[in-house]
Amino acid sequence: MNSSHRPVTEEDYQRVRELHAQGLGRNEIARQIGRAQRTVSVIAAELGLTFDTSMTEDATRARVAQLAALRADTAVDLHLDALKLTQQLWEPTTVFSFGGKDNTFASRQVDEPPAADKKALMTAAGIALEKSLRLVPPADDTGADAARSLVGQLLSGLTAVHREQQGAADEGADGDAP
């Protein structure tokens, strides 16, 4: 007879109370009395009994942390894949084709991939980076203001050097005038 169709008895209530008092968890009680876990939960709730969920919570936290670490590892791998793909944009490669009525194979070395292949490499690199950032988004914008400030200072310095050079060139032009 299937235990799920068996009516819950007073003995079931008593066994749940006893086994709970011994510190057993819901799953173990269900195994010992031959009832579904849900049935044990209902009986326990009716008896006002609760189960210690700290082990479950700890295990869940550990699994969540493990998944976060795996996502971070995968994000790093995707970033490295994007780097490898973008490096291929400028490396020598072999181009090939099959063609003709005999479907012959032809290949040759070129200094860098053709434009269509570069586009495919960039697309693949972009997808890898996008997926990486979805797995582990940047924590915040810290450093962005500093980087903008550094770029601004660099531009100001370059502008000043350019003006100095332009001024020196203008003075030289005045001195050369007849």
Side-chain angles (χ1 to χ4, degrees):
M1 179 179 197
N2 188 337
S3 64
S4 64
H5 294 98
R6 207 176 49 182
V8 176
T9 65
E10 191 57 41
E11 182 184 340
D12 291 324
Y13 280 87
Q14 186 58 36
R15 290 289 292 147
V16 168
R17 185 180 289 114
E18 289 169 5
L19 295 171
H20 181 273
Q22 293 174 20
L24 298 181
R26 180 195 66 172
N27 295 351
E28 182 58 30
I29 292 172
R31 275 190 287 278
Q32 286 200 21
I33 69 170
R35 291 289 188 171
Q37 296 165 353
R38 171 84 177 121
T39 302
V40 172
S41 293
V42 170
I43 292 171
E46 289 176 6
L47 294 172
L49 305 174
T50 60
F51 293 100
D52 180 13
T53 59
S54 61
M55 286 178 38
T56 302
E57 291 166 359
D58 290 345
T60 299
R61 274 192 293 279
R63 282 192 303 274
V64 167
Q66 183 181 27
L67 285 173
L70 288 171
R71 279 193 309 276
D73 289 346
T74 302
V76 168
D77 289 345
L78 287 167
H79 262 75
L80 293 173
D81 290 344
L83 178 63
K84 290 174 190 173
L85 289 165
T86 56
Q87 286 173 339
Q88 290 178 37
L89 291 168
W90 312 110
E91 293 177 351
T93 191
T94 302
V95 293
F96 61 90
S97 66
F98 292 92
K101 65 178 183 164
D102 297 327
N103 201 24
T104 57
F105 176 78
S107 67
R108 67 181 167 102
Q109 266 307 105
V110 292
D111 291 336
E112 57 188 51
D117 292 347
K118 284 185 176 187
K119 180 180 178 186
L121 288 166
M122 285 301 289
T123 299
I127 291 169
L129 287 172
E130 178 186 330
K131 298 299 181 188
S132 171
L133 291 172
R134 281 190 183 172
L135 283 170
V136 182
D140 56 22
D141 200 32
T142 53
D145 288 337
R148 280 191 285 274
S149 174
L150 180 62
V151 170
Q153 290 173 7
L154 181 59
L155 286 174
S156 295
L158 290 171
T159 302
V161 168
H162 175 71
R163 286 185 183 142
E164 276 181 27
Q165 290 177 343
Q166 195 64 31
D170 289 346
E171 286 176 18
D174 289 344
D176 291 340

